[in-house]
Amino acid sequence: MRPTTKDLANHLGMSRSTVDRVLNGRTGVKDKTVKAVHKAIEELGFERNLSAANLARKRVYRFAFILPKVGGDFLHELKSQVGLMGVALRLDNTEISIRQIIENDQHKNVEHLSRINTDELDGIAILAPEGPQVRDALARLSERGVHVVRLISGQPDEGEHSFVGIDNLAAGRTAARLLGSFAQSKKGSVLVVTDTMLSPDSVSRRAGFDQTLQHRFSSLRALPTIETYGDKKRTDTILASALMNFPDLQGVYVMSSEAGFALDALSKRDVATGLSIIAHERTQVTLSHLRTGFVDALIVQDAGHVVRSAARKLRAKCDNREPVATQENIRIEVLLLENSVG
Amino acid sequence: MRPTTKDLANHLGMSRSTVDRVLNGRTGVKDKTVKAVHKAIEELGFERNLSAANLARKRVYRFAFILPKVGGDFLHELKSQVGLMGVALRLDNTEISIRQIIENDQHKNVEHLSRINTDELDGIAILAPEGPQVRDALARLSERGVHVVRLISGQPDEGEHSFVGIDNLAAGRTAARLLGSFAQSKKGSVLVVTDTMLSPDSVSRRAGFDQTLQHRFSSLRALPTIETYGDKKRTDTILASALMNFPDLQGVYVMSSEAGFALDALSKRDVATGLSIIAHERTQVTLSHLRTGFVDALIVQDAGHVVRSAARKLRAKCDNREPVATQENIRIEVLLLENSVG
DNA sequence: CTGAAAGCGCTAACAG
DNA sequence: CTGTTAGCGCTTTCAG
């Protein structure tokens, strides 16, 4: 039987409340008593029973996922995973909500963030573009005791456990490695497409892609990045003209999380048939293009994993624990036709 | 505030004990009362608080991982993950133990299994070779109320949630796809190596490998499987002679979970330098060969994920719940030099 | 077949 | 600065 606060109290000849005070780091306990309790904890190997504590406290964890209002399939997938997890976590006295923000209205978003308070939320997981203002707002939130993790977009090394997502440099390298291998050492150029290079994620992916392409596949030449601005029409025309202008094209790397428009646009053109194509994320659209063989490989960060990991990290922060490191490492998955089932 | 058993009892004008009896399906309650309680549960949207229940019960979950006594790096990795999880789950009133079995002593193992009892263990996760006797023993264990999941080795479709591992047919296909792509459409033969083809896992992988190689890469010809019997010396000599005998060799697929001996043997031979090599699992050895570029890709089932998933499935069975399906799907991961960090 | 009372391990007032 | 008491939501005797 594991020792309880009662055992501690008995052992020390004091009341459970005092032990409790020490355990919870509350003030107003004699220094000597504090030391004695800590010693007893060591000696008896006491480990606090969190669920009992939470029961007594009627503790509820309130987390919000702050996500862009507009987006594509991948965002949709994320939201749906948040929803799923929300119902699963209800049994774990955790309440998950979703808040929508307009990505490009920095001012409003910062305002929203600065209004959030500890008596409303215990933590947020936010998917938002970089930007000094948002960054500051998040820092202030943290200081006010609202835990923060950033999703998908950001650097794996920022803060200890404050980022959930993949290393985009490595993702870009992986893309190049796959594209190069699939292109079977042919000679020619490679199209690189994204929504916008204003996003640091795209910049990292591009950098990684170039590194590996140059290093390993010198017969392939990556063209300047084409930006679609997430606009369907523009995507169509700009890709059509690119296909015309570069007859030596061997492959395409679609860097953005939302690859739908680009892949649809490409797949409409017969010229694109023989190309080696790599895109990101597992969505309805990307999967269907993988299944037909039009896309050769997907580089994926599992949406469910991202969402669960974010929740676990927030939870760990609330409980002042370290999460299990290996579980929270979001892998850069490679999805081929062959391993995409299930 | 979520309704509690107290609310139910008040609402129905009865005592909490009766509600409890119904909730736990205990006998000796008037049929009419049972119905009434169920109705109230629906109406009030009552959801049982498992941790409160477990607290009152002093419930402890006792799981054992039954693993082969002898093995290589991958087994070691599995064990270490079990250890890690064991300490993490202590806070979750779950006790994890490891039991070693001698793989090839079926009789003894069956005996061991048949001795296990509900008052000793709530569930086991077993990594054991196929075999009708073991299979029967596991079935009987299940009937006696000890929950069972099979690890790594087995079919994804056996039982509802009774298998934790990858689809080996798909894994074999994935290997072929990668090997074919890396071989850059050269012509020649491919070596396929494993411990023993007596293992159904190897048979499945081989079948998947052949399917995809024939279908997609007809210029490559897979040679008959070489069996090493897990013996270092034999592995050395048999691979050395294979490298001599097939000058048109383009690649090697090491199918077994323990790839150390085979990779080490190959890497000692200069002839093997230019080959495309695929192996399984992420271990010290395989990783180091991936890092040097000797191995081109690893096909991996994450040991940590396997272990955690097994524990979650056992836990879910004990609590009579469904686990979150997508979380328990063990992915066939592809590890390249580029995405192997972290 | 049902209820009353005590308790799981911990916390939260309220006294003192 | 410390102890007493009641209670979180559920289970478990023991009576009745």
Side-chain angles (χ1 to χ4, degrees):
Chain A
M1 222 46 244
R2 257 163 55 177
T4 73
T5 45
K6 205 179 196 171
D7 297 325
L8 282 180
N10 287 154
H11 180 88
L12 291 161
M14 58 175 70
S15 79
R16 259 136 77 261
S17 1
T18 303
V19 173
D20 181 72
R21 285 189 258 266
V22 176
L23 243 56
N24 291 89
R26 275 185 269 273
T27 62
V29 185
K30 226 195 302 179
D31 217 52
K32 198 174 142 197
T33 321
V34 176
K35 292 230 176 69
V37 173
H38 280 132
K39 184 152 159 278
I41 289 176
E42 283 296 320
E43 279 176 23
L44 303 194
F46 170 85
E47 286 172 294
R48 171 180 209 251
N49 182 335
L50 231 190
S51 30
N54 283 342
L55 175 60
R57 272 193 185 135
K58 289 164 153 285
R59 177 79 156 100
V60 177
Y61 300 87
R62 290 117 59 229
F63 301 144
F65 278 74
I66 305 190
L67 304 174
K69 186 167 227 142
V70 294
D73 278 10
F74 182 58
L75 179 63
H76 184 80
E77 177 63 17
L78 273 177
K79 279 191 199 148
S80 116
Q81 290 292 340
V82 173
L84 278 177
M85 192 191 50
V87 323
L89 287 189
R90 295 211 39 218
L91 301 165
D92 246 324
N93 47 42
T94 303
E95 285 168 6
I96 306 283
S97 59
I98 295 187
R99 301 186 179 200
Q100 318 249 34
I101 56 173
I102 316 261
E103 279 207 83
N104 40 22
D105 192 341
Q106 296 266 327
H107 182 64
K108 230 175 172 172
N109 291 335
V110 168
E111 211 182 290
H112 181 170
L113 289 178
S114 61
R115 251 201 287 282
I116 294 178
N117 215 302
T118 315
D119 51 49
E120 176 192 3
L121 282 178
D122 298 297
I124 65 168
I126 184 169
L127 168 43
E130 303 279 327
Q133 310 154 50
V134 169
R135 182 175 289 267
D136 283 359
L138 293 179
R140 269 178 276 132
L141 257 184
S142 260
E143 279 160 20
R144 264 184 288 135
V146 179
H147 301 287
V148 176
V149 302
R150 299 199 58 195
L151 254 37
I152 312 286
S153 189
Q155 298 300 322
D157 50 1
E158 68 178 76
E160 267 309 311
H161 298 291
S162 302
F163 174 72
V164 180
I166 58 174
D167 174 347
N168 285 308
L169 195 71
R173 287 196 194 115
T174 307
R177 173 71 187 280
L178 292 168
L179 181 34
S181 302
F182 289 136
Q184 302 285 0
S185 70
K186 283 181 234 153
K187 227 175 103 107
S189 54
V190 175
L191 216 56
V192 181
V193 190
T194 189
D195 285 354
T196 166
M197 283 302 270
L198 289 178
S199 135
D201 301 348
S202 284
V203 175
S204 295
R205 286 177 184 179
R206 171 82 215 208
F209 189 76
D210 287 348
Q211 273 177 21
T212 295
L213 207 69
Q214 279 162 27
H215 178 235
R216 276 189 118 105
F217 306 99
S218 48
S219 68
L220 293 176
R221 179 178 53 100
L223 298 167
T225 308
I226 289 184
E227 298 179 85
T228 65
Y229 304 141
D231 181 81
K232 185 167 168 51
K233 205 137 179 200
R234 179 183 158 89
T235 308
D236 271 342
T237 58
I238 203 171
L239 285 181
S241 82
L243 288 177
M244 304 269 312
N245 292 338
F246 302 103
D248 70 336
L249 219 54
Q250 298 298 341
V252 183
Y253 174 31
V254 182
M255 289 197 299
S256 36
S257 299
E258 303 293 357
F261 289 165
L263 292 181
D264 286 345
L266 287 169
S267 66
K268 276 190 303 206
R269 310 274 156 183
D270 285 346
V271 217
T273 317
L275 300 180
S276 300
I277 299 183
I278 312 283
H280 277 272
E281 308 315 349
R282 169 193 212 127
T283 66
Q284 296 252 301
V285 187
T286 59
L287 263 189
S288 82
H289 283 299
L290 185 69
R291 298 261 156 81
T292 64
F294 181 68
V295 163
D296 292 276
L298 295 173
I299 295 175
V300 172
Q301 49 190 324
D302 188 84
H305 192 182
V306 166
V307 166
R308 285 187 292 269
S309 179
R312 280 192 300 257
K313 283 188 173 175
L314 287 176
R315 179 65 197 262
K317 285 183 186 221
C318 289
D319 297 341
N320 211 347
R321 283 181 298 110
E322 291 289 309
V324 177
T326 66
Q327 185 172 14
E328 308 312 346
N329 172 29
I330 308 291
R331 290 178 284 274
I332 301 174
E333 295 177 37
V334 173
L335 225 58
L336 308 170
L337 181 57
E338 284 76 11
N339 68 339
S340 69
V341 277
Chain B
M1 221 50 240
R2 258 163 53 177
T4 73
T5 45
K6 205 179 195 171
D7 297 324
L8 283 180
N10 286 154
H11 180 88
L12 291 161
M14 59 177 70
S15 79
R16 259 131 84 259
S17 356
T18 303
V19 171
D20 180 74
R21 285 189 257 267
V22 176
L23 242 57
N24 291 88
R26 275 186 267 273
T27 61
V29 185
K30 227 195 300 179
D31 216 51
K32 199 173 141 196
T33 321
V34 176
K35 293 231 174 67
V37 173
H38 280 132
K39 185 151 157 277
I41 289 176
E42 283 295 321
E43 279 177 23
L44 302 195
F46 169 86
E47 288 172 293
R48 177 178 204 252
N49 182 335
L50 230 189
S51 29
N54 283 343
L55 176 59
R57 273 193 185 132
K58 292 164 151 284
R59 176 82 156 98
V60 176
Y61 299 87
R62 288 120 58 229
F63 301 144
F65 278 72
I66 305 190
L67 304 174
K69 186 167 227 143
V70 295
D73 278 10
F74 182 57
L75 179 63
H76 184 80
E77 176 63 16
L78 273 177
K79 279 190 198 151
S80 115
Q81 291 293 339
V82 173
L84 279 176
M85 191 191 51
V87 323
L89 287 189
R90 294 211 40 218
L91 301 166
D92 245 324
N93 47 42
T94 303
E95 285 167 6
I96 305 283
S97 58
I98 294 187
R99 301 185 178 201
Q100 318 248 34
I101 56 172
I102 316 260
E103 279 208 85
N104 40 23
D105 192 340
Q106 294 266 328
H107 182 64
K108 229 174 172 173
N109 292 335
V110 168
E111 211 181 289
H112 181 172
L113 290 178
S114 61
R115 253 202 285 282
I116 293 177
N117 214 301
T118 315
D119 51 48
E120 175 191 4
L121 283 177
D122 299 296
I124 65 168
I126 184 170
L127 168 43
E130 302 278 327
Q133 309 153 53
V134 169
R135 181 177 290 268
D136 283 0
L138 294 178
R140 268 176 277 131
L141 257 184
S142 260
E143 279 161 20
R144 264 184 288 135
V146 179
H147 301 286
V148 176
V149 302
R150 298 198 58 195
L151 254 38
I152 312 286
S153 187
Q155 299 299 322
D157 50 0
E158 69 177 77
E160 267 310 309
H161 297 291
S162 301
F163 174 71
V164 180
I166 58 174
D167 175 348
N168 285 307
L169 195 70
R173 288 195 193 114
T174 306
R177 174 71 186 280
L178 292 167
L179 181 34
S181 302
F182 290 135
Q184 302 284 1
S185 71
K186 282 180 236 153
K187 228 174 101 102
S189 54
V190 175
L191 217 55
V192 180
V193 190
T194 190
D195 284 354
T196 166
M197 284 301 271
L198 289 178
S199 136
D201 300 348
S202 284
V203 175
S204 296
R205 287 179 184 178
R206 171 83 216 208
F209 188 77
D210 287 347
Q211 273 177 22
T212 294
L213 207 70
Q214 280 161 27
H215 177 236
R216 276 191 118 106
F217 306 100
S218 49
S219 69
L220 294 175
R221 180 178 52 101
L223 299 167
T225 309
I226 289 184
E227 298 178 85
T228 66
Y229 305 141
D231 181 81
K232 185 167 167 50
K233 206 139 181 196
R234 180 183 158 91
T235 307
D236 271 341
T237 58
I238 202 170
L239 285 181
S241 81
L243 287 176
M244 305 271 312
N245 293 338
F246 302 102
D248 70 335
L249 219 53
Q250 298 298 343
V252 183
Y253 174 32
V254 182
M255 291 196 298
S256 36
S257 298
E258 303 293 356
F261 289 165
L263 293 181
D264 286 344
L266 288 168
S267 66
K268 276 190 302 204
R269 311 273 155 183
D270 285 345
V271 217
T273 317
L275 301 180
S276 301
I277 300 185
I278 312 283
H280 278 271
E281 307 316 349
R282 170 192 212 127
T283 66
Q284 296 252 304
V285 186
T286 59
L287 263 189
S288 83
H289 283 299
L290 184 70
R291 297 263 156 83
T292 65
F294 181 69
V295 161
D296 292 274
L298 295 174
I299 295 176
V300 172
Q301 49 191 325
D302 188 84
H305 192 182
V306 165
V307 166
R308 287 187 292 269
S309 178
R312 281 192 300 258
K313 282 188 174 177
L314 286 176
R315 178 67 197 263
K317 285 182 186 221
C318 288
D319 296 341
N320 212 345
R321 284 180 299 110
E322 291 288 309
V324 177
T326 66
Q327 185 174 13
E328 308 312 345
N329 173 28
I330 308 292
R331 290 178 283 274
I332 300 173
E333 295 177 37
V334 173
L335 224 58
L336 308 170
L337 180 57
E338 285 75 11
N339 67 340
S340 69
V341 277

